[in-house]
Every structure is written in structure tokens, then in C-alpha cells.
Amino acid sequence: MEIIKAEDYLDMSRKAANIISAQIIMKPDCVLGLATGSTPIGIYDQLVEWYEKGDLDFSKVTTINLDEYRGLSRDNDQSYYYFMKEKLFQRVNIEKDRIYLPKGMEKDSKKACEDYDTIIENAGGIDLQLLGLGHNGHIGFNEPSDKFEMKTHCVDLTESTILANQRFFDSIEEVPKQAYTMGIDTIMNAKRIVIVVSGKEKAEILKEAFFGPVTPKIQASILQLHRNVTIVADEAALSEIKQ
Ligand code: F6R
């Protein structure tokens, strides 16, 4: 486990973007596992900047995202597809047919999950998986549990997540109650993992996840067993770690 200490959010974004950029340069047809959420936004901005300067070429890159809400279409502005389109896909020269997220509109959840695992398998697995860290230690939508769920699966969102999401929708009925997420086995099979963490409010969970016992109660703790994981975190997020 390697820890890269960044000064602040901007520095963290630049350092993580550097690793992703190197991956694309070394292997132009690489498979990137990508995340949504607020933490990677600065990384995507940095990658776009380098693309615009002509330093990066996404034309052969395949992207496979961690998760998607069940029941949201791609043009719903709350879907993760929409987020990725806004933040990255429409700003670089990535081929549309090499972009993958779980199919939120697939009602048959077994099919949605199996299809996604097949896509990942056919792509030859993930070269570099980018992760954010949830406040409860989740990665993707793998929430605290008694076990690690291995493959892509359908998750029931917690009441608190549904209520928190309510502000983005006209009514509570429209708020997604479930999501499809990549499983732990798939994440752990990525050749390289980069997890980005920013802010004081993540300091405690970062310490628990990477310096505490490996437990499904803190799903990110499993990353301690990965052979090539890099934590890129700012000083605030690392403030609970003794140097
Ligand atoms: C996003 C995802 C989540 C987030 C995590 C951290 O696709 O799967 O696990 O990475 O919730 O979110 P932020 O970055 O918003 O703190």
C-alpha cells in the first residue's frame, strides 16, 4: 500500500490525474474503472485540461464505471451516466461504444448484473480502478455488511441515502431506491487501484479502513489485501494517521 500525501484537494486531483494519465500513455487501449461522487471531479477537470493541450488521447480507452442507480435513464440528470458525460465523456475524445455503466433501466436485476460482469470479463478486466471512499467506508455501492459481495449486484439504498437524495427530485417516489454496483471481487481484480480521499470529515474512516482490521463492516478495508493500491489523500484526510 502506497500513500501519496497531497497538500489540498487541487494537489490531490493533480497527483491522481497524473497516475491515470501515465496509465493511458503507457497503454493507450487500457481499461479504466471510474467513479462518480464529488472527490474525482478535480481529477476529471485535470485530465480534460491535459487532453485539450494535446497531451492525452482517449480514443482507444475503455471505461467501466462502478455503479448506477436502478430505474434512472441515461438522460436523467441524476444518473451516474449523465454525471460522467458532463464531467468527462463529452469533454474528451472517448468512443461512445467503449463507455460502460450498469444499465439503470434494466428491470431484470439478475440480467443487469450478469451482463455487466460479462462486459468486464470481455474487456479483459480493469487495468486501473479509481475509487472514492464513502463516509461509512463503502466503495462503489458496497455498503457496510456482514459479508463482501463478490460480483455485480443490486443494492437497496438505505433510508438515509434515499432521504438525502430527495432534494434532487420533485417527489420522494422518484428517488431511486436501488442501485447496481460492481462487486468486491471485480474491484480487487483490478491490476491497480487508486483511491482518492479529501477532507477532514474522511480522516477517521480513512484511518479505520487502512489501519484497522479487514472487515465487511468497512468494505474499503479489503483494499489492504490488494497488491497494488495507492491512496492519494490530502493533508486533512490524512490528519488522523501518525506519520
Ligand atoms: C461513486 C461511488 C461512491 C463514492 C463515495 C465517495 O461512483 O461509487 O462509492 O466514491 O461515496 O463519494 P464522494 O467522493 O462524493 O465523497
Side-chain angles (χ1 to χ4, degrees), residues 146-217:
D146 292 335
K147 61 179 167 77
F148 292 107
E149 201 76 55
M150 291 305 166
K151 294 291 177 190
T152 301
H153 55 286
C154 184
V155 202
D156 293 325
L157 303 182
T158 59
E159 199 60 35
S160 63
T161 305
I162 296 169
L163 288 174
N165 286 346
Q166 193 181 349
R167 66 189 190 281
F168 301 119
F169 295 86
D170 293 334
S171 70
I172 187 88
E173 286 73 40
E174 288 174 42
V175 185
K177 312 286 183 298
Q178 292 181 313
Y180 294 127
T181 183
M182 213 184 254
I184 293 298
D185 186 49
T186 313
I187 294 171
M188 289 297 280
N189 270 320
K191 294 191 188 86
R192 180 167 194 187
I193 293 177
V194 175
I195 180 160
V196 284
V197 196
S198 171
K200 181 110 190 80
E201 64 282 3
K202 296 271 179 80
E204 193 56 47
I205 192 68
L206 188 152
K207 186 173 104 181
E208 282 181 58
F210 295 103
F211 296 89
V214 173
T215 163
K217 302 259 182 286

Side-chain angles (χ1 to χ4, degrees), residues 1-226:
M1 189 168 80
E2 181 194 18
I3 302 179
I4 298 181
K5 186 175 180 173
E7 274 169 38
D8 51 22
Y9 177 76
L10 214 68
D11 189 35
M12 178 209 74
S13 303
R14 201 187 154 81
K15 286 183 158 76
N18 238 321
I19 299 172
I20 297 172
S21 165
Q23 171 71 70
I24 298 171
I25 291 165
M26 295 302 290
K27 189 179 177 194
D29 61 347
C30 63
V31 179
L32 299 179
L34 296 180
T36 62
S38 51
T39 319
I41 292 175
I43 300 174
Y44 298 144
D45 285 342
Q46 182 62 81
L47 291 174
V48 170
E49 195 184 311
W50 288 333
Y51 163 74
E52 285 171 348
K53 272 176 66 190
D55 292 340
L56 268 183
D57 177 13
F58 287 82
S59 63
K60 295 193 179 71
V61 171
T62 296
T63 62
I64 301 184
N65 261 79
L66 282 166
D67 38 20
E68 178 60 283
Y69 287 119
R70 183 177 185 218
L72 292 196
S73 67
R74 290 184 155 195
D75 50 14
N76 185 310
D77 62 6
Q78 293 306 317
S79 74
Y80 284 171
Y81 180 88
Y82 195 94
F83 174 98
M84 289 304 301
K85 188 180 82 177
E86 294 269 295
K87 306 291 180 217
L88 183 69
F89 299 154
Q90 69 182 12
R91 301 165 75 197
V92 297
N93 65 335
I94 190 158
E95 296 287 336
K96 255 193 158 164
D97 58 1
R98 274 201 272 270
I99 290 171
Y100 298 101
L101 282 92
K103 282 213 174 79
M105 291 306 279
E106 175 58 70
K107 287 207 175 79
D108 180 345
S109 61
K110 190 168 175 281
K111 178 170 168 21
C113 296
E114 283 175 3
D115 285 355
Y116 208 52
D117 285 334
T118 306
I119 285 168
I120 299 166
E121 214 180 290
N122 289 346
I126 292 163
D127 290 303
L128 188 155
Q129 176 67 54
L130 176 65
L131 295 174
L133 178 66
H135 286 98
N136 59 6
H138 74 205
I139 45 177
F141 258 123
N142 294 282
E143 298 289 352
S145 167
D146 292 335
K147 61 179 167 77
F148 292 107
E149 201 76 55
M150 291 305 166
K151 294 291 177 190
T152 301
H153 55 286
C154 184
V155 202
D156 293 325
L157 303 182
T158 59
E159 199 60 35
S160 63
T161 305
I162 296 169
L163 288 174
N165 286 346
Q166 193 181 349
R167 66 189 190 281
F168 301 119
F169 295 86
D170 293 334
S171 70
I172 187 88
E173 286 73 40
E174 288 174 42
V175 185
K177 312 286 183 298
Q178 292 181 313
Y180 294 127
T181 183
M182 213 184 254
I184 293 298
D185 186 49
T186 313
I187 294 171
M188 289 297 280
N189 270 320
K191 294 191 188 86
R192 180 167 194 187
I193 293 177
V194 175
I195 180 160
V196 284
V197 196
S198 171
K200 181 110 190 80
E201 64 282 3
K202 296 271 179 80
E204 193 56 47
I205 192 68
L206 188 152
K207 186 173 104 181
E208 282 181 58
F210 295 103
F211 296 89
V214 173
T215 163
K217 302 259 182 286
I218 300 176
Q219 296 269 320
S221 64
I222 194 82
L223 300 174
Q224 293 180 41
L225 307 180
H226 194 277

